[in-house]
Amino acid sequence: MKYIDFTNEEINEVMNKAWTAFHQYRKLSLKQRADFMRAIAVEMEACGDELINTAMKETNLPEARLRGERARTIFQLNSYAAACEEGTWLDIRIDTANGGKTPPKPDIRKMLVPLGPVIVFGASNFPFAYSTAGGDTACAFAAGCPVIIKAHPAHAETSETVANAILKAAGKCNMPDGIFAHVHGGSVEVGKALVTHPYTKAVGFTGSFLGGKQLFDWGNQRKEPIPVFSEMGSINPVFLLPEKLQQSSADIAKMYAASITLGVGQFCTNPGLIIGIESGALQNFIATLGEEIKHIVPAAMLHPGISKLFSENKAKALLQQDVTTVAVSETDAKENQGLPTIASSTGQAFLNNPVLHQEVFGPYSIVIRCKDKDEMIEVAKNLEGQLTATLMATENDISNNDEFMEAVKNICGRFILNSVPTGVEVCLSMHHGGPFPASTDSRFTSVGADGIKRFARPICFQNWSNDLLPVELKNQNPSGIWRTINNELTRSSL
Ligand code: NAP
């Protein structure tokens, strides 16, 4: 179905309503927000097979993956609802007055409050979990913010169906009119109008570096700059350390062939760069990885644009000096399918050529052969910010390797040992973000309930009497929220 781009007048109307809704929604209790989020989860489930079929048609993703992703989205809504209600995310600090001090210390209490209407850009590669009712939307609702979705044009109908589920939940929970809106747009002008609207107070995005950085720049160039949380490209380096590689090069290669091609390589955590030190074990690894890749059958990518970009970016990488093709799938790729491909190059070539540092979004990875440990450290030091970095290593490999370890830690948001970066657990300890260009703000995560804090800001109340304070800051603590009172973390009342 073809949807028509919203006009500037329509966007203005949506934003005016969102602004009015903000002043009503922010006053609702944490429980009311949480109940709304749980109601969205129920409505999403109630969309049944029709939603899965629509998403299959629009994204080429297989049924099992989409069912799993919907379950993950429902889990996100429910678990962030629980976190919203539990209230730890409010970061409450209370320092009681001390008249005996000179000068007297006033009563000071701090908590997080919502920013205002949030624009969320649906991600092409996660039609449920990072789109209309996905992680960013759940976090913004939990924080107390209305949400305006910019639907991804590649799955506009899926997005429309989920949007209707959200509106149904909003109606059932008596949410203010304007708490949620769904905006279609196949041109960048729609995104620009949303990000630059004066009533927009924050943005959440997952996608390309070019898109994410553009939104970030628009957000910063406004008369009133706003935070833009863009989660962008990452090549997720994997370092193969010598002792580990010697012990299990074939097993690691098999594990990585599966990770590189999972979901046709269309994950932001796809391992696009593998780095080892020249040795017989590394040659074994490369040979086994190549053999595995040959047997992986190409599959359709999310949309023709992504498939075209994959072919172009891969061709560009393969044309670079000192880059060789190790293996491609033995099955020809049909139209819009991604042909699994492994390339290889030297540490020197990688250090000299920024093209090899760029994301090739799809089933592709390049193995970099360093001449020695020092060159591997240089490669680590010259990497841009990443969502993840992985070590395949024994304890021996890690000990006495401080310079290398510090270099890797310095560039990543999630540091993985002896596993694969694909698969992002939704839990409080997760960090899905990383130094630029992986994301525009490395201090925040887009997965896990800590993501709620992206859409809130601190306010501190000084010298207010108990009865005038917001309920969460009053002496009584009926919901048992964890609060830091006079430097001690406690759930007690005061
Ligand atoms: P995209 O081009 O970044 O688009 C994502 C969303 O942002 C769309 O709604 C798009 O709107 C909007 N957008 C993009 N550029 C914009 C701009 N300059 N101004 C305003 N809005 C803009 O991502 P995609 O279409 O999903 O895929 C394209 C490429 O992005 C992929 O080939 C891949 O390289 C990369 N990607 C990376 C990840 C990751 O997690 N690392 C995930 C998905 C995609 P319009 O369509 O209306 O322009």
Side-chain angles (χ1 to χ4, degrees), residues 209-279:
F209 174 76
L210 283 178
K213 179 67 167 49
Q214 177 63 81
L215 303 184
F216 178 78
D217 289 344
W218 281 332
N220 278 279
Q221 286 156 6
R222 290 165 44 122
K223 195 167 156 202
E224 176 202 344
I226 51 166
V228 175
F229 299 100
S230 294
E231 192 239 289
M232 305 175 289
S234 185
I235 50 174
N236 304 297
V238 178
F239 293 90
L240 308 172
L241 275 79
E243 191 174 85
K244 184 71 179 179
L245 197 59
Q246 190 66 43
Q247 287 172 0
S248 42
S249 60
D251 288 345
I252 299 173
K254 286 176 189 161
M255 187 160 104
Y256 270 88
S259 176
I260 291 162
T261 55
L262 186 72
V264 205
Q266 301 165 115
F267 288 117
C268 46
T269 51
N270 186 59
L273 175 68
I274 303 175
I275 305 132
I277 300 170
E278 276 290 13
S279 66

Side-chain angles (χ1 to χ4, degrees), residues 434-453:
F436 186 86
S439 77
T440 48
D441 196 333
S442 62
R443 296 168 297 175
F444 293 94
T445 180
S446 58
V447 176
D450 274 347
I452 299 171
K453 294 181 190 175

Side-chain angles (χ1 to χ4, degrees), residues 74-117:
I74 288 170
F75 175 77
Q76 283 174 175
L77 284 160
N78 286 325
S79 64
Y80 297 1
C84 166
E85 211 169 1
E86 192 258 352
T88 307
W89 67 273
L90 292 166
D91 272 351
I92 294 177
R93 316 277 187 247
I94 297 176
D95 288 294
T96 49
N98 182 353
K101 264 189 94 183
T102 317
K105 179 183 168 197
D107 184 285
I108 304 183
R109 305 183 183 208
K110 180 166 76 170
M111 68 181 291
L112 294 185
V113 291
L115 289 179

